[in-house]
Amino acid sequence: MQFEFVNSRSAVAFMESPFSKTFHNRLSTTIEQNLTPKSIEESFPRTDWEFIIKNQSPECIEFRDWISNAFYEVMPVERLSGVPAWEASSYMGQIKLVKCWGSVYNKENYAENHNHLPFTHSFVYYLKVPEGSSPLEMEGTTFFVRENLCIFFPAHINHSVPVNKSDGRVIIAGNFNWVLS
């Protein structure tokens, strides 16, 4: 795991997953078969915003479990709230995965500059990154991505994906937020 800072204030964390190429292929196929019709006409095709959370395929379940555990490893509650974990959980609830979707970027697809407010933290996980895939840009910093990489970042950070130059760049993105107990 490594950290980098964008705008010298916000920590962005990078983590590799334990998933195999076979797992990636199965999960990519699940995403590609469940793109929302309207999104196919937009700048990048995607699933429903809660697809990975609601889908009960073994791959979606395993991914949800891994991403939640990875988030707590990268961003422990005391770092997020400034108070010890035992104290924060007693009155602040827990941070949970509340949105999680898959997206496919083909040639000419892109994502305009945006953020994920009002959520607290977000991530993007790279399932397939063919040659010619676009990087991730965050507030003036360019991150060249690769398969099996997960990037966690505060949801307020503006980010974008330049025009993609290949077919088949598949990602999973999601948001975490405080959920009261």
Side-chain angles (χ1 to χ4, degrees):
M1 173 183 1
Q2 76 179 60
F3 290 90
E4 289 191 33
F5 288 87
V6 293
N7 280 346
S8 71
R9 295 185 331 264
S10 299
V12 176
F14 301 82
M15 179 182 269
E16 299 287 333
S17 84
F19 300 124
S20 68
K21 187 84 165 168
T22 303
F23 178 89
H24 278 201
N25 289 337
R26 289 194 315 259
L27 191 48
S28 293
T29 299
T30 300
I31 290 167
E32 291 165 350
Q33 291 173 345
N34 288 280
L35 300 173
T36 61
K38 183 178 181 225
S39 76
I40 293 170
E41 300 166 10
E42 296 173 353
S43 59
F44 61 93
R46 63 167 176 77
T47 64
D48 177 74
W49 297 115
E50 296 177 351
F51 176 76
I52 303 294
I53 293 172
K54 292 178 179 177
N55 188 283
Q56 294 301 309
S57 71
E59 294 79 23
C60 286
I61 292 168
E62 188 173 349
F63 182 82
R64 284 195 307 266
D65 290 346
W66 177 79
I67 199 71
S68 294
N69 290 328
F71 176 76
Y72 277 106
E73 183 178 328
V74 169
M75 297 289 178
V77 71
E78 54 270 22
R79 184 178 300 151
L80 298 171
S81 65
V83 296
W86 62 268
E87 187 178 341
S89 63
S90 67
Y91 67 91
M92 296 179 89
Q94 296 182 333
I95 293 182
K96 293 186 178 179
L97 182 64
V98 294
K99 302 284 182 188
C100 192
W101 62 95
S103 297
V104 178
Y105 290 79
N106 290 316
K107 286 182 184 171
E108 305 303 315
N109 292 150
Y110 61 94
E112 292 183 6
N113 200 35
H114 67 285
N115 61 53
H116 291 227
L117 290 174
F119 303 101
T120 61
H121 283 78
S122 302
F123 73 89
V124 60
Y125 177 77
Y126 295 89
L127 284 168
K128 290 186 176 182
V129 183
E131 188 173 332
S133 290
S134 295
L136 175 65
E137 295 184 350
M138 287 186 177
E139 297 186 352
T141 303
T142 299
F143 297 108
F144 294 95
V145 298
R146 62 190 177 278
E147 290 178 11
N148 232 26
L149 177 67
C150 188
I151 303 175
F152 294 93
F153 55 96
H156 71 272
I157 294 178
N158 288 319
H159 56 285
S160 61
V161 177
V163 173
N164 202 44
K165 295 178 175 38
S166 65
D167 286 330
R169 178 184 187 266
V170 182
I171 63 109
I172 296 175
N175 298 313
F176 289 87
N177 214 4
W178 288 105
V179 176
L180 298 177
S181 302

